[in-house]
């Protein structure tokens, strides 16, 4: 969920900015195009100066930090500025082997990649860390980059809360009121700045960051939402790209942004939820949750019913339970720990479930900030249905076949139905044949967060792009992960610029290794889930 420049693409920039202008507004495209050019030239003239990271970033001494100023409003490039926080680990190889900066965004919207330089210590990233400065940053509104907030973090983290799979009319009215209040909170806190949190501005910021890093052309890797504004960047600045990786691609079709993409996502999570339950059933000798996917679902529903009546640890209600198990839809590294938590809870030990699903007060501010930026960007980017009747009709039908995530996805995005400022028309992502260097798309066939058809659509819109597919797998975010085949294609592209002709496939990475509780008690090695 992340520009001294060539400016031979001003016409493309103006055209794309026109597409993204709010309906009914005066055309700001020419001013914004000039603003990007001016901001990038200013950044290139005063390159970023890295030094010790502030304690607030909690980064090791091997990582350096800096800030890069970008205009709040590109139509007024000398007006108010946002200081983006940036992190870097310098390339560890010989000077002759250095290929510049590799900038990474993990998605969101609302996620920071300040942690990214730390992957230099991981074996999967060793060769890339030798050739590139690894650069992370917090996009506008995120963390210390002029943080956006829409709600008191303590209220945002309040638990336990409900998550009925078939919500009543009164529950829907309650959530509508909460969505309206949240949208009003965004407008009240951000004031006139709220309209500037958009994907197109994230792409413009990326070009200013490129210039500040002293890079004539950008080498960028975006995951999840990072692929979307990376694709917007490719539309606006095709001649500024050196190499670009789209890891777990969002469908960039303007008709999908963002209401329909969330419907597709809910359906895909249902398939991935079934994948998890099939795996648990295969290991019934370990978890004792049932010998079929339906049996495992029955075990899960028993737990959900119990925490509805009596929240686990006083904080884990059905909404917290669902959010915890949603992570198993993103990453199969969570499968063993989540299955263990269910198994233990049904045996009378709620501690693993409480540990995994309880809100963490220490992260409430960060979580609320991420959600605020997510909401602002997605609500600003595109028109959403303004009447709840449309949401109700579409999602009631969808929940009949995909109950696991559908309504929770609605509640997360519903503030966009009551958004208090004009919404944009999405950028029509595309590039002319030959306008881009080869770009690389990584996709898992059963990814739920960014369903696989989105990767096919992105490849269609970016001629010359190459798609690497992990077959029969669903982990979200493949780069540097468990699939050596995928990592091989990634390294060959970033280190040597080589790609297959058009498409290639990799066999799935191994399934998670279940470890019985008896083995754990005996002190044998255990599977430890992780997620970037």
């Amino acid at each position: 969920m992340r520009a001294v420049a060539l400016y031979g693409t001003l016409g493309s920039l103006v055209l794309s900015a026109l597409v993204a202008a709010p309906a009914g507004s005066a055309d700001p495209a020419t001013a914004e195009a000039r603003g990007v050019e001016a901001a990038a030239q200013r950044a290139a003239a005063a390159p970023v100066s890295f030094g010790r990271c502030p304690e607030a970033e909690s980064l090791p001494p091997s990582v350096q930090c800096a800030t890069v100023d970008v205009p709040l409003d590109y139509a007024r490039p000398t007006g108010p500025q946002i200081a983006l926080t940036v992190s870097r680990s310098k390339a560890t190889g010989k000077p002759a082997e250095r290929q510049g900066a590799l900038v990474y965004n993990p998605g969101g919207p609302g996620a920071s990649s300040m942690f990214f330089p730390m992957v230099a210590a991981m074996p999967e990233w060793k060769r890339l860390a030798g050739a590139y400065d690894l650069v992370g940053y917090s996009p506008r509104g995120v963390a210390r980059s002029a943080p956006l907030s829409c709600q008191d973090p303590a209220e945002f983290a309040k638990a336990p809360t409900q998550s009925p799979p078939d919500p009543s009319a009164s529950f829907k009215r309650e959530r509508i009121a909460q969505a309206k209040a949240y949208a009003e909170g965004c407008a009240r806190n951000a004031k006139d700045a709220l309209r500037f949190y958009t994907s197109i501005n994230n792409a413009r910021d990326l070009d200013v960051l490129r210039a500040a890093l002293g890079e004539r052309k950008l080498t960028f890797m975006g995951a999840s939402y990072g692929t979307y504004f990376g694709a917007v960047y490719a539309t606006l600045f095709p001649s500024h790209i050196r190499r670009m990786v789209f890891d777990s691609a969002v469908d960039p079709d303007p008709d999908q942004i963002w209401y329909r993409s969330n419907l597709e996502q809910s359906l895909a999570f249902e398939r991935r939820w079934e994948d998890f339950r099939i795996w648990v059933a295969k290991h019934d000798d370990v978890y004792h949750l049932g010998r079929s996917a339906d049996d495992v679902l029955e075990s899960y529903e028993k737990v959900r019913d119990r925490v509805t009546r009596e929240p686990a640890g006083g904080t884990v209600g059905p909404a917290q339970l669902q959010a915890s198990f949603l992570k198993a839809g993103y990453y199969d590294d969570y499968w063993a720990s989540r299955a263990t938590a269910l198994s233990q809870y049904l045996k009378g030990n709620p501690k693993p479930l409480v540990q995994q699903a309880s809100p963490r007060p220490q992260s409430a501010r960060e979580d609320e900030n991420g959600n605020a930026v997510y909401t602002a960007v997605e609500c600003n980017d595109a028109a959403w249905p303004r009447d709840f009747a449309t949401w109700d009709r579409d999602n009631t039908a969808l929940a009949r076949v995909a109950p696991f995530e559908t309504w929770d996805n609605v509640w997360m995005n519903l503030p966009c139905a009551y958004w208090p400022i004009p919404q944009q028309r999405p950028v029509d992502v595309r590039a002319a044949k030959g306008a881009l260097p080869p770009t690389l798309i990584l996709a898992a066939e059963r990814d739920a967060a960014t369903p696989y058809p989105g990767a096919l659509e992105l490849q269609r819109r970016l001629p010359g792009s190459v798609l690497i597919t992990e077959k029969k797998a669903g982990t979200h975010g493949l780069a540097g992960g468990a699939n050596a085949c995928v990592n091989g294609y990634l390294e060959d592209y970033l280190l040597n610029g080589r790609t297959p002709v058009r498409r290639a496939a990799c066999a799935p990475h191994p399934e998670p290794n279940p470890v019985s509780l008896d083995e754990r008690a005996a002190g044998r090695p255990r599977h430890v889930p992780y997620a970037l």
Side-chain angles (χ1 to χ4, degrees):
M1 351 127 219
R2 277 46 260 303
V4 176
L6 297 177
Y7 281 96
T9 58
L10 187 59
S12 171
L13 176 60
V14 171
L15 177 62
S16 299
L18 269 168
V19 172
S25 67
D27 171 24
T30 301
E32 290 177 346
R34 291 173 178 166
V36 178
E37 181 177 358
Q41 288 179 342
R42 185 169 64 239
V48 63
S49 177
F50 284 95
R52 179 178 296 180
C53 292
E55 287 186 15
E57 297 294 350
S58 300
L59 292 169
S62 59
V63 178
Q64 300 174 309
C65 291
T67 59
V68 171
D69 288 343
V70 299
L72 173 67
D73 176 5
Y74 277 94
R76 299 171 57 218
T78 59
Q81 304 287 304
I82 290 174
L84 304 182
T85 59
V86 185
S87 60
R88 179 187 71 174
S89 64
K90 297 189 73 172
T92 58
K94 298 176 182 177
E97 298 170 340
R98 184 181 179 276
Q99 296 195 37
L102 170 60
V103 180
Y104 177 71
N105 179 277
S112 169
S113 61
M114 290 293 287
F115 70 89
F116 177 60
M118 294 172 63
V119 305
M122 298 172 63
E124 296 87 350
W125 293 89
K126 183 177 180 180
R127 294 182 65 202
L128 293 175
Y132 288 96
D133 297 345
L134 302 183
V135 175
Y137 72 108
S138 290
R140 60 172 59 204
V142 177
R144 295 191 307 113
S145 297
L148 179 65
S149 174
C150 296
Q151 185 181 22
D152 181 343
E155 281 294 306
F156 180 79
K158 188 168 60 177
T161 49
Q162 298 301 310
S163 176
D166 184 18
S168 65
S170 62
F171 186 83
K172 291 173 183 177
R173 287 194 296 270
E174 179 183 333
R175 295 311 301 252
I176 289 170
Q178 291 175 6
K180 289 178 178 179
Y182 192 83
E184 290 166 1
C186 295
R188 182 173 57 254
N189 290 351
K191 299 183 173 59
D192 292 342
L194 184 60
R195 64 190 177 97
F196 298 112
Y197 295 94
T198 63
S199 293
I200 194 170
N201 276 339
N202 284 337
R204 291 165 175 153
D205 292 348
L206 185 59
D207 204 53
V208 177
L209 175 58
R210 172 184 67 83
L213 292 170
E215 299 293 329
R216 178 172 170 268
K217 293 194 175 187
L218 175 70
T219 302
F220 175 76
M221 181 162 62
S224 193
Y225 166 73
T227 70
Y228 177 65
F229 82 80
V232 172
Y233 184 94
T235 302
L236 301 182
F237 308 103
S239 66
H240 297 189
I241 295 172
R242 177 179 177 268
R243 291 174 192 159
M244 184 167 278
V245 179
F246 304 92
D247 183 4
S248 304
V250 168
D251 188 334
D253 184 340
D255 290 338
Q256 292 290 112
I257 306 298
W258 289 105
Y259 179 72
R260 296 207 62 81
S261 68
N262 277 281
L263 296 174
E264 296 293 334
Q265 188 183 70
S266 294
L267 185 61
F269 268 113
E270 194 68 27
R271 293 191 294 266
R272 195 61 181 153
W273 172 231
E274 184 179 30
D275 289 348
F276 166 67
R277 291 184 285 115
I278 289 171
W279 177 85
V280 174
K282 266 199 305 191
H283 301 290
D284 186 55
D285 59 328
V286 177
Y287 302 116
H288 310 294
L289 292 168
R291 296 179 180 274
S292 70
D294 287 344
D295 291 342
V296 176
L297 178 60
E298 185 176 339
S299 294
Y300 175 81
E301 289 176 341
K302 284 181 183 176
V303 175
R304 186 179 65 199
D305 290 345
R306 290 186 190 178
V307 300
T308 300
R309 296 191 303 270
E310 184 179 352
T315 58
V316 178
Q320 288 69 44
L321 178 74
Q322 195 275 344
S324 180
F325 277 80
L326 182 64
K327 292 180 180 178
Y330 281 90
Y331 311 109
D332 56 23
D333 292 316
Y334 281 104
W335 286 7
S337 65
R338 294 301 185 263
T340 297
L342 278 187
S343 178
Q344 284 289 284
Y345 182 88
L346 290 171
K347 291 178 179 179
N349 176 17
K351 289 183 179 179
L353 182 63
V354 172
Q355 183 180 27
Q356 293 175 31
S358 287
R360 290 169 170 77
Q362 64 270 26
S363 67
R365 186 174 299 278
E366 178 184 347
D367 293 342
E368 192 280 326
N369 167 241
N371 191 77
V373 176
Y374 168 92
T375 304
V377 171
E378 294 218 351
C379 295
N380 282 334
D381 268 2
W384 294 70
R386 289 298 203 171
D387 60 311
F388 182 73
T390 300
W391 296 66
D392 199 18
R393 181 199 65 219
D394 292 346
N395 288 280
T396 296
L398 181 58
R400 293 190 186 106
V401 295
F404 177 66
E405 168 65 359
T406 294
W407 283 110
D408 290 273
N409 212 353
V410 170
W411 311 137
M412 181 172 183
N413 292 287
L414 192 56
C416 296
Y418 309 104
W419 203 237
I421 61 175
Q423 295 168 318
Q424 299 181 338
R425 293 188 296 271
V427 173
D428 186 17
V429 166
R430 62 181 65 252
K433 187 176 182 179
L436 291 174
T439 58
L440 194 69
I441 303 169
L442 309 179
E445 208 169 35
R446 297 185 67 81
D447 186 352
T450 51
Y452 186 69
L456 300 175
E457 180 67 15
L458 180 61
Q459 186 181 37
R460 187 182 71 79
R461 288 171 173 266
L462 299 183
S465 58
V466 174
L467 174 59
I468 309 299
T469 301
E470 184 180 23
K471 305 291 283 186
K472 300 178 181 179
T475 288
H476 183 63
L478 302 179
N483 195 308
C485 171
V486 173
N487 291 339
Y489 283 116
L490 174 69
E491 280 196 354
D492 201 22
Y493 172 67
L494 287 176
L495 294 177
N496 306 309
R498 290 195 294 258
T499 64
V501 174
R502 180 164 170 76
R503 291 183 184 172
C506 292
H509 65 274
E511 287 190 337
N513 178 31
V515 179
S516 77
L517 301 177
D518 292 339
E519 287 176 320
R520 292 188 184 188
R524 296 174 186 170
R526 55 182 288 185
H527 172 81
V528 180
Y530 72 93
L532 292 179

